[in-house]
């Protein structure tokens, strides 16, 4: 399975695709070395901040396991505006563990390596 990985560093986001079995079983909030994704990212340390599954449901850090669940929310993370006091809504969310159903993984850089990310992820310039 191929994961779409978004690596965020100081306001910039770099996109990568990786076919890495080592990410299976990791949870939101776990730290891992960058060379598990790409060999060029050796020396980097990344932290998983969020996930999305194949249907677009987000990963929720407080829900354990990889399965899809319906969770009751009051005002907070997934429910911003509420029409009145005491309003609640059920939302479908994925657990905090990365599984085969996970498509997208969002990460941030904790520790930098030898090369800069701009050098590793070179933008393809359009030819006119």
């Amino acid at each position: 399975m191929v994961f779409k990985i978004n690596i965020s560093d100081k306001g910039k986001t770099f996109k990568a695709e990786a076919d890495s079995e080592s990410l299976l079983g990791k949870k939101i909030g776990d730290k891992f070395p960058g060379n598990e994704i790409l060999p060029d990212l050796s020396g980097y340390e990344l932290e998983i901040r969020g996930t999305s599954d194949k249907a677009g449901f987000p990963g929720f850090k407080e829900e354990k396991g990889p399965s899809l669940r319906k969770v009751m929310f009051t005002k907070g993370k997934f429910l911003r505006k509420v029409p009145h006091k005491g309003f609640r809504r059920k939302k479908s969310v994925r657990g905090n563990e990365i599984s085969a159903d996970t498509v997208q993984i969002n990460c941030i850089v904790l520790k930098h390596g030898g090369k800069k990310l701009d050098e590793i992820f070179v933008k393809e310039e359009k030819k006119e």
Side-chain angles (χ1 to χ4, degrees):
M1 80 218 54
V2 177
F3 294 116
K4 294 179 182 178
I5 300 171
N6 296 329
I7 302 168
S8 178
D9 181 39
K10 297 178 185 170
K12 288 186 177 181
T13 303
F14 303 95
K15 298 177 189 316
E17 288 191 7
D19 189 17
S20 178
E21 297 287 329
S22 64
L23 292 175
L24 291 175
K26 292 201 184 293
K27 297 180 181 179
I28 297 174
D30 285 355
K31 299 170 183 142
F32 64 96
N35 59 1
E36 287 186 14
I37 299 172
L38 294 171
D40 292 340
L41 291 175
S42 61
Y44 279 87
E45 186 177 1
L46 305 172
E47 180 183 354
I48 300 172
R49 282 291 176 100
T51 61
S52 281
D53 71 351
K54 57 189 176 186
F57 292 116
F60 190 52
K61 188 174 183 176
E62 285 78 24
E63 285 297 314
K64 303 215 182 320
S67 61
L68 188 66
R69 297 184 180 96
K70 283 196 168 259
V71 179
M72 185 78 72
F73 287 102
T74 57
K75 186 175 181 180
K77 187 172 185 178
F78 289 105
L79 194 60
R80 301 285 183 199
K81 289 185 175 182
V82 292
H84 56 82
K85 185 177 178 183
F87 185 79
R88 298 175 299 172
R89 176 169 285 153
K90 275 192 175 183
K91 294 250 183 195
S92 295
V93 293
R94 184 68 62 178
N96 64 355
E97 189 176 319
I98 295 174
S99 67
D101 293 330
T102 305
V103 173
Q104 178 181 328
I105 302 171
N106 303 323
C107 303
I108 63 165
V109 176
L110 297 177
K111 183 178 144 191
H112 291 274
K115 286 184 173 180
K116 291 186 177 180
L117 288 174
D118 290 329
E119 296 171 5
I120 296 170
F121 299 101
V122 179
K123 291 183 179 179
E124 296 179 15
E125 296 180 13
K126 294 181 180 179
K127 294 180 181 178
E128 293 183 18

